[in-house]
Amino acid sequence: MTGRAAYFTVQTRKIAKSGPVLGVETSCDETGVAVFCPERGLVAHTLYSQIRMHADYGGVVPELASRDHVRKLLPLIRETLARAGITTRDLGGVAYTAGPGLVGALLVGAACARALAWALQVPAIGVHHMEGHLLAPLLEADPPQPPFVALLVSGGHSMLIEVSAIGRYRLLGDTLDDAAGEAFDKTAKLMGLPYPGGPALAALAGQGRPGAFRFSRPMTDRPGLDFSFSGLKTQVLLAWQGSDQGEQTRADIARAFEEAIVDTLVIKCRRALEAAGASRLVIAGGVGANRRLRAELAAAGDKDGFRTYFPRLQFCTDNGAMIALAGAIRLAHGQQQDATVQVFPRWDLESLPPAV
Ligand code: KG4
Ligand code: ZN
């Protein structure tokens, strides 16, 4: 038997045995590691954020991100396994984010995870980062069952997806320019808030007075489920430049901006649920941590009769737990990657195979 054939025989045996799955997330500026047990659920997770390092530059510097993942990943894996009370020998599989994301950052996680799986002779699976986000609510008690509609709103994406089964995804709507999180970050920056501005802008919005400013709800005046948020940024810039630029004004503008984004997302979610004939809505990705969005969607659900499912706040933004979970599901269906270290900086969610 050649080395390669022997390797795959070992893989198949290991899948049947199953066991805890190590999840590794390194697609952008967070190093996330977790252990998910098919029998016990999530048993440990750790996260290291590079935010402070990138803040000096006003955004993520890809090369610095890759180098920092190199520094942090192995210590985090050791810490996570210790927290889970297991060693590498107990692992039944390794999952890593294979895309979309920054190519160098992705390669750090993929190479490390792939090498670990090879050394342990367990299967490895490359996970789509957005599928990780989409499945994050499955880490909570009372998880959603497909079919459902998912609103994925992060720093890089604003998508509405029809989920008929895990792995069967149909894109209903996408952003034509800035993603929702990107719009938060850019708007925060132009009003002088430090990187990453999204959460800071949302906090400031809480102090804003209702009705002091009003911005449009882009692309809601015509049918369709696509988004466009870059024009909002320009509206904010003009309002900010024409104002006294005081603290209260900044909060007032932040509030009007947040209301415009949230209203737009709520309108499109309602339309998407109607178009898909679904009664369950999953909200995931970093902007899913936004409290106004969570409250407004829950209220719309009460009114229209659909149910909303959110991950807990810490699993809205990037984390290893969602990658471990998504990987465990795919490994349980016998899916795995061969020994090549491969990443996909751009990757179409609809191209994934079903996991049913
Ligand atoms: O999912 P995520 O951690 O990374 C990507 O995959 O992009 O999302 C990060 C994005 C950033 O744009 C950040 O500003 C935004 O999510 N974000 C928020 C909030 N928390 C994070 N935007 C609005 N309100 C928040 N509370
Ligand atoms: Zn993300």
Side-chain angles (χ1 to χ4, degrees), residues 25 27-30 100 129-130 133 153-157 179-186 188 195-203 257-258 261 284-293 313 315-319 322:
E25 155 63 36
S27 67
C28 190
D29 59 349
E30 252 111 25
H129 181 80
M130 298 314 289
H133 276 305
V153 269
S154 69
H157 295 87
E182 194 179 359
F184 264 95
D185 294 338
K186 287 181 175 172
Y195 166 86
L201 192 81
F257 169 80
E258 187 184 64
I261 294 250
V287 182
N290 185 277
R291 290 182 192 277
R292 184 180 301 276
L293 179 66
L313 288 181
F315 294 157
C316 282
T317 43
D318 291 350
N319 64 84
M322 66 187 195

Side-chain angles (χ1 to χ4, degrees), residues 327-340:
I329 293 173
R330 291 199 170 270
L331 287 170
H333 285 86
Q335 298 177 17
Q336 60 175 293
Q337 249 73 59
D338 66 19
T340 322

Side-chain angles (χ1 to χ4, degrees), residues 208-330:
R209 293 167 300 185
F213 288 86
R214 188 185 156 85
F215 303 119
S216 62
R217 277 61 176 150
M219 294 183 70
T220 55
D221 57 349
R222 66 202 89 161
L225 294 168
D226 288 333
F227 304 100
S228 165
F229 291 122
S230 76
L232 258 184
K233 200 176 51 199
T234 314
Q235 289 182 39
V236 169
L237 181 65
L238 293 175
W240 177 243
Q241 285 175 340
S243 77
D244 62 7
Q245 302 198 352
E247 274 312 302
Q248 186 58 53
T249 306
R250 186 151 68 169
D252 291 342
I253 292 178
R255 177 169 181 144
F257 169 80
E258 187 184 64
E259 282 174 354
I261 294 250
V262 168
D263 264 11
T264 305
L265 293 174
V266 172
I267 291 167
K268 299 278 166 138
C269 282
R270 282 182 147 144
R271 279 189 200 170
L273 285 158
E274 204 183 319
S279 59
R280 285 182 282 267
L281 177 69
V282 157
I283 299 98
V287 182
N290 185 277
R291 290 182 192 277
R292 184 180 301 276
L293 179 66
R294 292 169 89 96
E296 294 288 322
L297 281 173
D302 288 344
K303 210 165 149 211
D304 292 9
F306 63 84
R307 232 189 114 180
T308 47
Y309 297 85
F310 303 90
R312 72 195 84 163
L313 288 181
Q314 70 186 130
F315 294 157
C316 282
T317 43
D318 291 350
N319 64 84
M322 66 187 195
I323 303 303
L325 168 79
I329 293 173
R330 291 199 170 270

Side-chain angles (χ1 to χ4, degrees), residues 134-135 137-146 148 280-282 309:
L134 192 152
L135 298 179
L138 270 62
L139 290 162
E140 307 303 331
D142 192 18
Q145 295 292 323
F148 55 78
R280 285 182 282 267
L281 177 69
V282 157
Y309 297 85

Side-chain angles (χ1 to χ4, degrees), residues 7-266:
Y7 174 72
F8 283 112
T9 310
V10 172
Q11 300 303 312
T12 322
R13 236 182 272 135
K14 290 283 177 181
I15 287 168
K17 246 177 87 186
S18 147
V21 173
L22 181 76
V24 170
E25 155 63 36
T26 64
S27 67
C28 190
D29 59 349
E30 252 111 25
T31 319
V33 180
V35 174
F36 183 87
C37 266
E39 303 81 25
R40 290 164 56 210
L42 184 67
V43 287
H45 64 95
T46 55
L47 187 79
Y48 174 79
S49 172
Q50 306 176 348
I51 278 175
R52 262 177 299 148
M53 181 181 75
H54 297 295
D56 290 346
Y57 304 91
V60 178
V61 184
E63 182 58 23
L64 293 183
S66 313
R67 288 169 190 232
D68 213 43
H69 286 306
V70 171
R71 272 191 290 271
K72 295 296 180 330
L73 187 53
L74 284 177
L76 269 191
I77 291 177
R78 280 193 205 100
E79 186 186 334
T80 314
L81 292 173
R83 283 193 198 180
I86 61 170
T87 71
T88 48
R89 296 192 188 288
D90 299 312
L91 291 174
V94 182
Y96 57 93
T97 304
L102 302 171
V103 67
L106 289 167
L107 276 170
V108 175
C112 177
R114 207 63 218 63
L116 194 58
W118 174 269
L120 297 170
Q121 299 203 327
V122 297
I125 179 92
V127 171
H128 192 296
H129 181 80
M130 298 314 289
E131 179 174 62
H133 276 305
L134 192 152
L135 298 179
L138 270 62
L139 290 162
E140 307 303 331
D142 192 18
Q145 295 292 323
F148 55 78
V149 166
L151 172 70
L152 300 184
V153 269
S154 69
H157 295 87
S158 298
M159 300 193 289
L160 278 160
I161 315 273
E162 183 181 355
V163 179
S164 49
I166 293 180
R168 275 197 225 278
Y169 306 128
R170 191 165 73 90
L171 187 65
L172 300 174
D174 203 350
T175 182
L176 302 182
D177 39 57
D178 291 352
E182 194 179 359
F184 264 95
D185 294 338
K186 287 181 175 172
T187 302
K189 194 170 178 177
L190 70 84
M191 289 204 293
L193 295 176
Y195 166 86
L201 192 81
L204 199 59
Q207 292 148 41
R209 293 167 300 185
F213 288 86
R214 188 185 156 85
F215 303 119
S216 62
R217 277 61 176 150
M219 294 183 70
T220 55
D221 57 349
R222 66 202 89 161
L225 294 168
D226 288 333
F227 304 100
S228 165
F229 291 122
S230 76
L232 258 184
K233 200 176 51 199
T234 314
Q235 289 182 39
V236 169
L237 181 65
L238 293 175
W240 177 243
Q241 285 175 340
S243 77
D244 62 7
Q245 302 198 352
E247 274 312 302
Q248 186 58 53
T249 306
R250 186 151 68 169
D252 291 342
I253 292 178
R255 177 169 181 144
F257 169 80
E258 187 184 64
E259 282 174 354
I261 294 250
V262 168
D263 264 11
T264 305
L265 293 174
V266 172

